[in-house]
Each structure stands twice: as structure tokens, then as C-alpha cells.
Amino acid sequence: MDDIREHYVAWLRDAHAMEEQALTMMRGMLSRLENYPVLCARMEQHVAETERQAESLRKLLEGRDSGASVMKDTLGKATALGQALGGMFADDEVIKGVMASYTFEQMEVAAYKVLISTAAVLEDTTAIPVFEQNLAEEQDMADWLFDHLDQTTRIFLARDEAGLPARR
Ligand code: MG
Ligand code: FE
């Protein structure tokens, strides 16, 4: 059971780092979305959701991680996938940012699924609804990005055709 608990706390810490990183990447992207108001509004909503997710994970960690310097270890530690996607998020071209966002949301979905399974094994019943809510928000965001990929791409291409600054 000790080994399981160790994995659990490590995955919980990783999830918190993932959310902090999501905030950094989305805030950066938001500053470049002035020509995509629909996408911009949805991303602003998800930034608010993500702030709440990060806070909910921080609270869970407080009660479950015995290490005193938990948050010091966690903050600023990018996940490997996040590092790989960082360049795409930072790219001026909004299409690359949307593809990176979609991929990141899918990783978040998987991370919460793993946490739900592990919490179930450990009978940590109070944590499960937190993970379930976060998972639902990630899935909704992934679905929204996918459903709007056609619209976003067409806006991008139309701006390019019209000679407008297409990279934004
Ligand atoms: Mg999230
Ligand atoms: Fe997310």
C-alpha cells in the first residue's frame, strides 16, 4: 500500500505541475487571440477553470503529501509533453497553438483518469469527485477545440487570403 500511495502522491504532484503549466501556456496564447474572439472567450473560461483545478489539487496535496517542500518541487516543473508543446503554444500562428492545446487537454484527461483509478484503489473517496470534475472540464475543452477547429482554420485562412496579418 505504501508503494501505491507513493505513486499516488507523485501523480498528484505531476497533475498540479501540469495545471500550473497549462495556465502559463494559455495566458501566453490569450494575448495573441484578438482576432479570434470566440476562441478567446472559450480559452478565458478554461483559464478560470484551470485556476480552480490547480487550487483544488493544491488542497488535496496538503493533506496527502508528507513532504514539507511539496509546492517548491512542483511549481515551475514542466511535464515532458508540456515542454515539447511549449514551442507550439508560443508560436504566433494560432493554428499551431490550437493543435498544441488540444493535445495538452488529452494528456490532462488521461492524468485524471489515472488519478481516479488510483484514488479508488486507495479508497480516497473524497478526492475522486475533484478528479472527476477536472476530467469533465478537460474533456469539454478538448471537445470544444476539436469542434471549432474547422471554424478557427477558416478564419485563419480567410485572413491570410485577405492579406491581413495571418499569423495572428
Ligand atoms: Mg486542467
Ligand atoms: Fe485543461
Side-chain angles (χ1 to χ4, degrees):
M1 223 54 171
D2 276 4
D3 286 351
I4 298 176
R5 189 151 284 281
E6 242 172 65
H7 285 302
Y8 183 48
V9 171
W11 289 333
L12 198 47
R13 254 192 245 133
D14 289 347
H16 182 266
M18 171 182 81
E19 297 302 352
E20 291 292 335
Q21 192 185 5
L23 283 173
T24 302
M25 292 194 292
M26 285 192 292
R27 283 174 183 146
M29 201 175 147
L30 265 177
S31 66
R32 300 187 301 274
L33 290 182
E34 66 270 22
N35 297 310
Y36 300 81
V38 176
L39 174 61
C40 188
R42 184 62 181 89
M43 199 154 273
E44 275 172 352
Q45 181 196 323
H46 197 55
V47 165
E49 289 166 349
T50 305
E51 284 167 349
R52 194 203 47 75
Q53 293 171 352
E55 177 62 13
S56 70
L57 294 177
R58 197 187 58 75
K59 282 194 184 128
L60 286 180
L61 269 167
E62 266 177 6
R64 288 157 183 80
D65 195 333
S66 50
S69 59
V70 186
M71 303 324 281
K72 210 178 88 190
D73 294 345
T74 301
L75 288 173
K77 190 187 120 193
T79 60
L81 179 65
Q83 277 174 0
L85 292 176
M88 277 180 86
F89 264 96
D91 198 293
D92 267 357
E93 191 194 282
V94 71
I95 299 303
K96 289 198 183 83
V98 171
M99 286 193 281
S101 299
Y102 177 74
T103 306
F104 200 86
E105 296 306 331
Q106 298 294 359
M107 185 185 67
E108 293 184 285
V109 167
Y112 287 118
K113 187 78 181 167
V114 167
L115 282 169
I116 289 166
S117 299
T118 312
V121 169
L122 289 169
E123 294 175 359
D124 187 2
T125 50
T126 53
I128 292 174
V130 173
F131 301 143
E132 282 173 342
Q133 186 186 337
N134 292 3
L135 190 154
E137 288 169 357
E138 313 305 12
Q139 191 66 67
D140 283 352
M141 185 59 179
D143 290 348
W144 190 97
L145 288 168
F146 188 80
D147 292 343
H148 288 76
L149 255 181
D150 178 65
Q151 184 191 64
T152 308
T153 305
R154 285 169 188 274
I155 295 171
F156 176 88
L157 294 174
R159 289 182 58 81
D160 192 40
E161 273 287 288
L164 294 162
R167 287 174 63 78
R168 286 185 164 221

